[in-house]
C-alpha cells in the first residue's frame, strides 16, 4: 500500500534514491518507466509539455483563472466548454465573457439542464433540500454530452457538486480542468477546512 501523504523522505523530489521507503511507488521501476512512455503519446505529449511550461511561466504570479486561459491559448484551442453550477452562474458569466474577449468560442451548460425533478433520477423526497418543493436534479452527464455534441476541445468545470463533477469527468470526451471546486460553507475554498482541521473545524469534518 502506498502512503505518500505521510512520507517525510520525499525521495521523488531529488536524485538520491537510496532513502526510498520500503513501500515507495518508485520501487516499481519497470512500471514507472512504462508510465513515462505515456507522456510521449501524441494525445499527451504536447499538452503535458505546454501545461508544465505554463507552471514555470506563471509560478506564484498568475491566478488559476489566468493559467486556464493561457493554457487554452497555448494549445490553440478555439471552442471551450464551460460546465457550471446554477449557484455560480454569475461567476460563469464572468469566465465566459473573459474567454470570449480573448477570442475563444464558449459553449456553456448549466447543471440544471433538462429541468427534471430529482425524483426522476431516484432521489427520495427525504433526500431533497426542500422535501415538499420541486427541485431540479443536477445533470452532469447531460452537461458532458451536450458539450461533446458541440465538439468542445477543452472543458472547464466550475463549481459542480462533489460526485456530480466525477460523472462529468467520466462522460466528457475532451480533457477537463477544474476552475472552481464547490464549497458552499467556505466561499469555495475547500483548503480552509484542511487548514483548520485541528482547530476550528475539528468537530465539523
Amino acid at each position: 500500500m502506498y502512503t505518500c501523504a505521510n512520507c517525510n523522505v520525499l525521495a521523488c523530489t531529488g536524485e538520491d534514491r537510496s532513502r526510498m521507503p520500503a513501500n515507495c511507488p518508485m520501487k516499481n521501476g519497470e512500471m514507472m518507466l512504462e508510465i513515462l512512455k505515456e507522456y510521449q503519446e501524441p494525445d499527451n505529449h504536447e499538452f503535458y509539455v505546454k501545461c508544465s511550461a505554463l507552471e514555470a511561466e506563471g509560478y506564484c504570479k498568475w491566478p488559476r483563472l489566468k493559467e486556464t486561459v493561457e493554457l487554452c491559448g497555448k494549445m490553440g484551442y478555439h471552442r471551450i466548454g464551460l460546465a457550471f453550477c446554477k449557484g455560480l452562474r454569475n461567476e460563469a458569466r464572468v469566465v465566459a465573457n473573459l474567454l470570449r474577449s480573448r477570442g475563444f468560442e464558449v459553449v456553456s451548460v448549466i447543471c440544471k439542464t433538462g429541468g427534471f425533478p430529482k425524483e426522476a433520477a431516484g432521489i427520495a423526497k427525504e433526500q431533497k433540500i426542500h422535501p415538499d418543493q420541486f427541485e431540479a436534479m443536477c445533470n452532469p452527464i447531460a452537461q458532458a454530452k451536450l458539450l461533446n455534441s458541440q465538439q468542445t476541445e477543452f472543458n472547464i468545470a466550475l463549481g459542480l457538486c462533489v460526485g456530480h463533477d466525477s460523472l462529468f469527468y467520466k462522460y466528457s470526451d475532451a480533457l477537463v480542468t477544474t476552475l472552481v471546486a464547490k464549497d458552499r460553507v467556505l466561499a469555495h475554498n475547500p483548503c480552509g477546512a484542511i487548514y483548520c482541521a485541528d482547530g476550528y473545524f475539528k468537530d465539523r469534518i
Side-chain angles (χ1 to χ4, degrees):
M1 181 185 298
Y2 306 129
T3 55
C4 292
N6 299 100
C7 178
N8 294 316
V9 177
L10 299 181
C12 56
T13 64
E15 296 180 308
D16 183 6
R17 300 290 189 263
S18 64
R19 297 175 60 239
M20 286 191 293
N23 67 337
C24 180
M26 295 194 304
K27 292 273 188 180
N28 192 336
E30 185 176 334
M31 180 181 182
M32 285 292 172
L33 289 175
E34 285 300 313
I35 291 170
L36 186 59
K37 293 177 185 177
E38 294 290 329
Y39 292 99
Q40 300 304 320
E41 292 294 322
D43 287 348
N44 299 331
H45 184 70
E46 180 186 9
F47 186 85
Y48 183 74
V49 169
K50 287 189 175 179
C51 64
S52 297
L54 189 73
E55 177 191 11
E57 187 178 353
Y59 195 73
C60 291
K61 295 184 294 185
W62 297 348
R64 189 177 181 92
L65 177 56
K66 181 172 175 61
E67 286 186 324
T68 301
V69 174
E70 290 292 325
L71 177 60
C72 291
K74 290 179 185 299
M75 286 301 299
Y77 296 142
H78 299 288
R79 180 169 289 194
I80 308 300
L82 181 61
F84 67 96
C85 166
K86 169 180 171 284
L88 284 89
R89 58 191 180 279
N90 292 331
E91 291 84 347
R93 185 178 297 113
V94 170
V95 173
N97 289 342
L98 174 63
L99 286 165
R100 289 193 187 98
S101 74
R102 302 296 171 84
F104 300 102
E105 293 182 353
V106 181
V107 183
S108 56
V109 182
I110 195 169
C111 63
K112 300 299 184 183
T113 189
F116 298 115
K118 288 184 175 180
E119 290 85 351
I123 300 169
K125 176 180 177 179
E126 59 272 15
Q127 294 173 311
K128 294 164 57 176
I129 299 170
H130 303 290
D132 296 320
Q133 299 179 22
F134 174 85
E135 288 181 7
M137 62 177 275
C138 292
N139 201 346
I141 295 176
Q143 286 178 290
K145 292 199 170 192
L146 288 167
L147 293 180
N148 293 345
S149 74
Q150 295 289 300
Q151 299 180 315
T152 54
E153 298 164 278
F154 190 63
N155 290 334
I156 297 170
L158 196 159
L160 302 185
C161 294
V162 172
H164 295 166
D165 53 2
S166 305
L167 285 171
F168 177 74
Y169 305 146
K170 178 179 179 179
Y171 283 89
S172 173
D173 288 344
L175 289 173
V176 181
T177 193
T178 299
L179 180 59
V180 177
K182 176 185 284 177
D183 192 320
R184 300 176 184 87
V185 173
L186 294 174
H188 311 302
N189 175 28
C191 275
I194 298 171
Y195 297 146
C196 297
D198 294 323
Y200 296 120
F201 272 76
K202 186 173 184 179
D203 296 325
R204 299 179 65 183
I205 57 176

